[in-house]
Amino acid sequence: EVLLTFIDGENTLSSEFVQADAKLLTLPAITPAEGYEFLGWYAEGDVLIFEANESNTVSLSGDDLLESMTLYAKYQEVEAQ
């Protein structure tokens, strides 16, 4: 098992153990502040790990092995139309 911790700003949304060879992950739901778009979950060093999607799930291939990590929500300001 590996530990995945999801952080949004200063709030820890979840911290859970998952199998290292998991095939499907459910990610915490994110509601961005007005004027911002959620880009995805990033590791230290601004490395994209899980891209944002509507279902909040990620399918992993058989070659993907997870490792314990802390992931941070990243946002981008949306330009006014």
Side-chain angles (χ1 to χ4, degrees):
E1 289 189 325
V2 297
L3 178 63
L4 298 180
T5 302
F6 295 89
I7 296 178
D8 184 9
E10 298 195 8
N11 299 316
T12 298
L13 300 181
S14 76
S15 192
E16 59 189 90
F17 286 97
V18 297
Q19 294 299 318
D21 60 352
K23 301 297 180 228
L24 183 70
L25 290 179
T26 301
L27 307 174
I30 290 289
T31 304
E34 189 171 328
Y36 287 85
E37 170 186 21
F38 175 61
L39 299 177
W41 293 101
Y42 285 71
E44 297 278 341
D46 210 27
V47 177
L48 176 64
I49 303 296
F50 301 124
E51 194 168 354
N53 68 55
E54 302 262 335
S55 68
N56 294 322
T57 60
V58 176
S59 294
L60 303 172
S61 73
D63 295 336
D64 292 328
L65 281 180
L66 294 172
E67 58 186 53
S68 292
M69 65 180 85
T70 300
L71 301 166
Y72 301 90
K74 184 173 180 178
Y75 299 90
Q76 174 177 302
E77 193 167 0
V78 177
E79 294 184 25
Q81 298 288 326

